[in-house]
Amino acid sequence: MSDTLTEEEQLEAIKRWWKENGKFLVLAVVFGVGGWFTWGAWQDQREAKAEAASARFEQLLNVMDAADERGMTEERQAAAAELVEQIKADNSRSLYAQNAAMLMARIAVQNGELERAQRELEWVLDNNRDEAVEQLARVRLARVLYAQEEHDAALALIEREHTSQFAAKYAELKGDILLAQGDAEAARAAYQSALDALTPDQQQRSMLLQMKLDDVQAASGAGAHTPVTAGEETV
Amino acid sequence: MLQNLRENSKGLVAGLLIGFLVIIFALSGSEALFMGGSSGEGVEVSVDGERISEIDINRAVNMQRQQLRNMYGDSVPSEFLSDERLREPVVESLIQRKAMAVAARSAGMSVSDDQVNQIILAEPMFRGEDDSFDSQRFQQILRAQGFTPSTYRAALREDLLIEQLVAGIAGSSFITEAELARAVALNYQTRDFSYVTIAGDEVRASLEISDAELEAFYQGSPEVFTQPERVAVDYIDLSVENIAATMDVPERQIREQYEQEAANYAGAAERNAAHILLDDGDRALADELYQRLAQGEDFAALAAEYSVDSGSRNQGGELGYTAGDMFPDAFESALADLSVGDVSEPVSTEAGIHLIKLLDERGGEAPSFEEQRERIARQLRRARAEGEFAVLLERLRDLAYVAEDLAEVADELGLEVGNTGLFPRSGGQGVAAQRQVIDAAFSDVVLEYGEASDAIELGPDRVVVVKKTDFQDSYVQSLDDVREQALEMLRDERVREQVASRGEALKQALASGQSLAQAAEEAGLEVRTVSGVTRDAGEPGRALLRHAFALPRPSATPSVAGQHLNGGNYAVIELTAVEDGRMEEREPEEIESLRARLSSQVGSSDYSSFQTALRERVEISR
């Protein structure tokens, strides 16, 4: 608005502008304010739901702790199973639900109920939206399948793409499965790549992996040197 | 313009416009309030937009330092505890934690106020003498760690969130029976094998090495016998410490300093205060209570009856000791004016109106001159040395730059000059062991042009200047100088060759159908046979065991391999049987402990994969 306009003219200009845009503005403000409060309420509700799931998850952890210390009784297992179902029903997409299902899978494995563990882990894969959780659940499911001697299904799961942080786990399991299928040579390669892929945090796994690798050394005929790495030769 | 609008506000139009502006201000204003909450502290690092403040970093660095001290005691060199050394890994782990918390929250995880409250109430650290939650204690401890109640709660919330995540990811890991059985088979595997050891010592004793062979060996590997280039430098080592050692401080100054400090001690008394706190409006009540106290009524009884400070009311109003900085200034200055047992007139602070009683006073007495003499003398020497250091450093720079010879410079400045003797690029003794000194000594300025180096700073209060006095280029040492060393190396090489070739002969014999016993007998060697050996057996030695367990499983014929061992020995191993460990043959406790170990390994390795995956996903700005 130019300074040269008189106050009357200024007011006129504003009135004209208001006539043209007024309704729209009022509506925008109403929607804006309404949206603001709705969004806030939705946030609050979402927060409240998450906190409720959090409290249930804590209860589940308490049951697990008690079971670890004093044994998994039938009551404890029933209590855990009920909590897990509630958490999963609350919000199947939250990490609480994924973790609750994975805890249930662990309980099932401990009880020898491999099919139940398989169902829980499949549920995780079906409902999950997180890539890291997905990779973890996938390799766990493959291990459960391997334990049920469903080698092809297990192999199919772990031959899908995965990121480097999970490479050692995938390769080790691949070695186990290939060995079980009688392919010692391929198993050896898999174990070697598992050893190579261990991160510094995972070095404690190296002992067992080295045992697995040593155990499938090729019989290269009498007279060959053992294929131990060169640096170790003189130790 | 707004002014005009209001004056002309006849119609709806202007009113609405103003209302509209008010709403905009209200919305953006509240936004600004939210954003403002986390700034204010020097912000350094953020993870997906969530900040890690400088205060958080410092606190974590201090905690890390304390933990290292607790773990290793005073044996930790202080440079390992320096902020610079600790900061980077601490920041790294804070980023890691933040990344976990961010991921947890965005995946719908949350911790309620109730959960946080329960933890705070259950914390023994925050309990007073009556074993109930003590809010004053709570605030004191928080302050000492650089928290406010709200930042502390936020930190605690984050801890709980991460704990839940760990319990979910790592705690849900398992070991299947198939995996356990496999681990048992491998871990408790036993092997039967025979082996022959060819003794390096015997081979060595029978070695005959002619001069010609030694000469050839020497000629064949000149790089081994090369003496690298070496330089010797004069140096002046100027440090506050060295200067301080030569300083004298007059007794009179020490005493003056002592007396000044003693005056400070008197001011540093600690006072134990009690108060009765009244609301701001209760001025009349305050005056009344003051009168009643003056007439001898009991302070503790009145505190219990009238004080609105629930933390101190039932403790006779006692607040504990202050060194003069715990309470607001008005409170402290009133307190400082009291004698023990006296009560102040009503004092107003932000909290309300206080009647303050001084319960007790302690400290404030200075230690004796004799106790303090050595420390003060040391400080004064050092303070004077620092001044001297600055002056000498300036002159050293000027003089060294043009000097023919560092000894002259040292003379001029009243300092001493030393010489390192010849040392290679890998370093020498004393100052020549310092990386910066080595680099300077081998720099073009010093080595090529023969000038004095710049002042090399070895610390904030230590500087070294060097100047070349001698240089020796690299050369191949004569055989006479290195005869023993060369002979020893050649012997090692020969032993290695000969034991391996004898081992090879044995293996050939085995491959052509001879038994190990026969072949060994012909070679004059002894066969040892062991059976049912476990991986962790004490005999026949770790190196041999490891190789025996890395041999391929025997098929129709035994597996055979030769292996160099320690001390120039060589072993030929013939593996005859491998027996896998079996679950039913182990004690249940053994199995359970193996299961627990494997579960925890898998759990922590799962968690580490998960954590690194999250870490790579978040955006970090620093």
Side-chain angles (χ1 to χ4, degrees):
Chain A
M1 253 169 263
S2 160
D3 288 335
T4 57
L5 296 178
T6 66
E7 285 183 3
E8 276 304 315
E9 283 168 335
Q10 281 182 21
L11 203 60
E12 270 312 308
I14 291 173
K15 278 180 178 164
R16 206 167 340 110
W17 180 84
W18 179 254
K19 228 174 184 167
E20 283 165 14
N21 301 296
K23 270 194 191 136
F24 174 74
L25 190 63
V26 170
L27 273 178
V29 169
V30 167
F31 276 114
V33 172
W36 174 268
F37 284 112
T38 315
W39 190 68
W42 181 77
Q43 269 305 71
D44 286 350
Q45 198 205 352
R46 188 168 158 252
E47 187 71 17
K49 264 184 91 172
E51 284 175 6
S54 172
R56 285 222 175 94
F57 190 75
E58 280 294 328
Q59 284 177 33
L60 175 60
L61 292 181
N62 289 339
V63 175
M64 299 293 288
D65 283 347
D68 282 345
E69 278 163 29
R70 300 186 292 277
M72 180 57 90
T73 59
E74 268 180 36
E75 295 87 67
R76 289 203 178 103
Q77 185 167 351
E82 196 184 323
L83 283 164
V84 168
E85 286 315 313
Q86 282 173 349
I87 296 169
K88 280 159 69 175
D90 277 350
N91 178 1
S92 61
R93 305 260 174 212
S94 90
L95 201 44
Y96 286 123
Q98 314 303 318
N99 278 338
M102 291 207 284
L103 284 167
M104 200 61 223
R106 171 193 146 186
I107 296 174
V109 169
Q110 281 172 336
N111 287 341
E113 303 169 83
L114 292 177
E115 278 168 27
R116 166 125 200 225
Q118 181 184 340
R119 280 202 304 280
E120 294 292 343
L121 290 167
E122 281 166 352
W123 186 90
V124 174
L125 290 182
D126 289 342
N127 289 279
N128 167 67
R129 337 172 270 190
D130 185 290
E131 199 199 4
V133 173
E134 137 106 35
Q135 301 196 60
L136 190 58
R138 187 142 38 98
V139 71
R140 284 181 180 177
L141 176 58
R143 285 167 54 208
V144 170
L145 290 173
Y146 163 70
Q148 298 175 90
E149 298 189 356
E150 296 190 29
H151 297 144
D152 290 334
L155 210 50
L157 271 179
I158 54 169
E159 275 180 345
R160 273 189 242 159
E161 217 174 299
H162 51 265
T163 55
S164 63
Q165 305 91 11
F166 291 87
K169 268 180 246 305
Y170 278 65
E172 179 178 356
L173 181 57
K174 189 173 173 185
D176 290 345
I177 298 171
L178 290 170
L179 185 63
Q181 289 180 332
D183 191 347
E185 201 171 322
R188 184 164 57 248
Y191 288 141
Q192 187 61 59
S193 69
L195 262 177
D196 296 342
L198 281 181
T199 64
D201 281 352
Q202 296 170 335
Q203 284 308 315
Q204 46 173 343
R205 289 292 291 169
S206 68
M207 215 161 98
L208 185 61
L209 259 175
Q210 186 68 52
M211 285 185 197
K212 287 182 175 180
L213 180 60
D214 287 348
D215 204 51
V216 290
Q217 286 304 352
S220 43
H225 278 260
T226 44
V228 179
T229 40
E232 284 180 331
E233 265 195 327
T234 52
V235 176
Chain B
M1 196 194 97
L2 277 179
Q3 185 72 16
N4 291 338
L5 265 181
R6 216 177 32 202
E7 282 166 6
N8 294 329
S9 58
K10 298 164 189 149
L12 187 66
V13 182
L16 267 176
L17 257 184
I18 290 172
F20 178 56
L21 289 177
V22 167
I23 289 170
I24 288 180
F25 279 129
L27 292 181
S28 62
S30 67
E31 185 78 357
L33 277 180
F34 289 130
M35 304 305 280
S38 55
S39 65
E41 302 148 0
V43 169
E44 292 280 314
V45 188
S46 82
V47 177
D48 266 9
E50 291 205 19
R51 283 151 178 171
I52 300 173
S53 72
E54 192 59 33
I55 293 185
D56 290 336
I57 296 172
N58 285 336
R59 181 189 311 117
V61 166
N62 284 334
M63 270 167 68
Q64 175 71 13
R65 184 179 297 132
Q66 198 53 47
Q67 271 171 8
L68 286 172
R69 279 214 187 98
N70 291 347
M71 234 187 287
Y72 303 109
D74 292 333
S75 63
V76 199
S78 58
E79 69 257 30
F80 281 104
L81 299 177
S82 70
D83 278 5
E84 300 78 64
R85 189 70 76 93
L86 294 176
R87 189 180 163 95
E88 210 29 53
V90 161
V91 168
E92 199 43 48
S93 81
L94 287 176
I95 289 177
Q96 183 67 69
R97 286 184 70 79
K98 194 55 104 180
M100 300 301 286
V102 166
R105 271 194 290 267
S106 73
M109 290 179 65
S110 175
V111 170
S112 70
D113 284 337
D114 264 1
Q115 283 164 287
V116 174
N117 286 343
Q118 278 173 22
I119 302 284
I120 292 178
L121 290 177
E123 171 58 55
M125 198 164 67
F126 299 144
R127 294 200 183 164
E129 277 158 24
D130 59 350
D131 205 34
S132 66
F133 178 71
D134 182 341
S135 80
Q136 216 178 339
R137 208 182 154 85
F138 172 64
Q139 304 221 5
Q140 266 175 21
I141 292 173
L142 260 48
R143 253 203 312 276
Q145 298 182 10
F147 281 116
T148 68
S150 78
T151 59
Y152 180 74
R153 294 173 66 90
L156 201 55
R157 198 182 290 268
E158 208 159 281
D159 281 352
L160 288 172
L161 212 52
I162 292 169
E163 261 173 44
Q164 285 186 339
L165 194 54
V166 177
I169 299 294
S172 63
S173 70
F174 51 77
I175 289 290
T176 64
E177 287 304 298
E179 289 164 329
L180 185 63
R182 182 85 196 288
V184 166
L186 289 170
N187 195 42
Y188 297 109
Q189 191 178 77
T190 61
R191 295 195 165 198
D192 301 351
F193 58 93
S194 301
Y195 64 97
V196 168
T197 309
I198 301 159
D201 281 353
E202 288 169 23
V203 175
R204 178 178 286 263
S206 64
L207 279 180
E208 282 181 15
I209 291 174
S210 69
D211 280 351
E213 284 172 309
L214 185 60
E215 178 74 31
F217 177 70
Y218 166 78
Q219 295 294 352
S221 34
E223 69 287 351
V224 177
F225 303 108
T226 299
Q227 173 70 256
E229 57 179 354
R230 291 179 300 167
V231 68
V233 292
D234 270 347
Y235 65 90
I236 294 176
D237 184 355
L238 177 66
S239 72
V240 171
E241 201 179 316
N242 290 351
I243 301 171
T246 64
M247 286 274 166
D248 268 332
V249 180
E251 189 71 9
R252 181 181 49 79
Q253 275 192 5
I254 301 177
R255 189 165 282 282
E256 271 172 18
Q257 178 67 24
Y258 168 76
E259 275 158 13
Q260 251 176 37
E261 287 183 13
N264 289 339
Y265 276 113
E270 287 194 312
R271 299 185 181 84
N272 188 8
H275 76 162
I276 298 173
L277 180 66
L278 302 172
D279 286 330
D280 258 336
D282 286 341
R283 189 78 208 180
L285 176 62
D287 290 333
E288 183 203 321
L289 291 184
Y290 179 69
Q291 293 304 326
R292 285 165 65 181
L293 285 166
Q295 286 154 20
E297 280 198 49
D298 185 37
F299 189 89
L302 290 181
E305 195 174 344
Y306 293 105
S307 180
V308 297
D309 176 7
S310 57
S312 69
R313 186 165 61 201
N314 296 319
Q315 275 77 46
E318 186 168 342
L319 293 169
Y321 282 92
T322 165
D325 51 6
M326 183 118 109
F327 304 118
D329 287 345
F331 189 109
E332 289 286 357
S333 72
L335 181 65
D337 290 341
L338 296 173
S339 322
V340 173
D342 282 357
V343 179
S344 73
E345 291 186 25
V347 175
S348 284
T349 70
E350 279 186 359
I353 305 171
H354 310 259
L355 291 162
I356 305 166
K357 180 173 181 176
L358 177 59
L359 297 174
D360 185 23
E361 205 169 8
R362 71 179 177 201
E365 283 162 42
S368 75
F369 178 67
E370 280 64 36
E371 278 171 355
Q372 297 294 309
R373 192 184 174 288
E374 196 32 53
R375 180 187 59 79
I376 293 176
R378 201 168 54 237
Q379 279 176 357
L380 288 176
R381 273 201 300 271
R382 201 179 155 84
R384 292 183 62 175
E386 275 168 10
E388 186 73 14
F389 176 74
V391 174
L392 284 174
L393 177 57
E394 206 51 44
R395 292 182 60 201
L396 176 63
R397 283 197 165 115
D398 292 346
L399 291 171
Y401 188 64
V402 294
E404 280 297 304
D405 183 353
L406 280 190
E408 286 170 16
V409 180
D411 249 6
E412 176 89 25
L413 299 176
L415 298 168
E416 281 179 22
V417 69
N419 190 287
T420 58
L422 285 168
F423 64 92
R425 282 177 195 271
S426 56
Q429 303 287 317
V431 291
Q434 302 278 348
R435 188 31 55 194
Q436 302 101 302
V437 174
I438 300 167
D439 290 346
F442 282 95
S443 68
D444 284 349
V445 172
V446 176
L447 198 59
E448 300 289 321
Y449 309 134
E451 290 170 15
S453 71
D454 289 339
I456 308 157
E457 286 185 31
L458 293 185
D461 52 8
R462 185 178 178 197
V463 156
V464 172
V465 173
V466 302
K467 194 167 193 305
K468 183 181 77 177
T469 55
D470 193 7
F471 174 74
Q472 200 165 50
D473 209 344
S474 74
Y475 63 97
V476 179
Q477 290 162 289
S478 76
L479 179 54
D480 283 341
D481 286 347
V482 293
R483 180 171 291 274
E484 266 318 298
Q485 188 197 350
L487 204 51
E488 205 52 26
M489 289 172 67
L490 181 54
R491 282 199 193 108
D492 285 348
E493 202 178 284
R494 286 288 159 81
V495 167
R496 216 178 143 78
E497 286 162 12
Q498 290 196 17
V499 293
S501 84
R502 289 181 68 181
E504 202 55 40
L506 264 182
K507 287 191 283 182
Q508 293 293 339
L510 292 186
S512 67
Q514 256 189 328
S515 74
L516 181 61
Q518 280 175 316
E521 202 184 327
E522 280 173 19
L525 294 165
E526 192 186 345
V527 177
R528 288 174 206 264
T529 300
V530 288
S531 59
V533 180
T534 58
R535 288 178 189 273
D536 57 356
E539 290 292 322
R542 286 177 56 94
L544 192 61
L545 260 185
R546 226 198 23 251
H547 296 304
F549 271 89
L551 278 181
R553 287 173 181 254
S555 45
T557 53
S559 305
V560 176
Q563 196 63 54
H564 286 285
L565 301 175
N566 283 338
N569 294 344
Y570 189 88
V572 173
I573 308 167
E574 184 187 60
L575 177 66
T576 49
V578 174
E579 185 78 24
D580 280 339
R582 289 221 294 269
M583 292 263 242
E584 56 275 18
E585 284 170 8
R586 312 309 308 182
E587 298 291 331
E589 296 83 50
E590 271 180 317
I591 300 284
E592 281 322 300
S593 107
L594 184 64
R595 186 202 300 276
R597 214 163 61 231
L598 290 172
S599 297
S600 103
Q601 273 181 15
V602 170
S604 70
S605 131
D606 280 359
Y607 183 69
S608 137
S609 297
F610 183 76
Q611 172 170 280
T612 333
L614 294 190
R615 169 77 162 76
E616 283 175 14
R617 195 190 296 167
V618 293
E619 195 159 311
I620 295 151
S621 74
R622 44 197 316 184

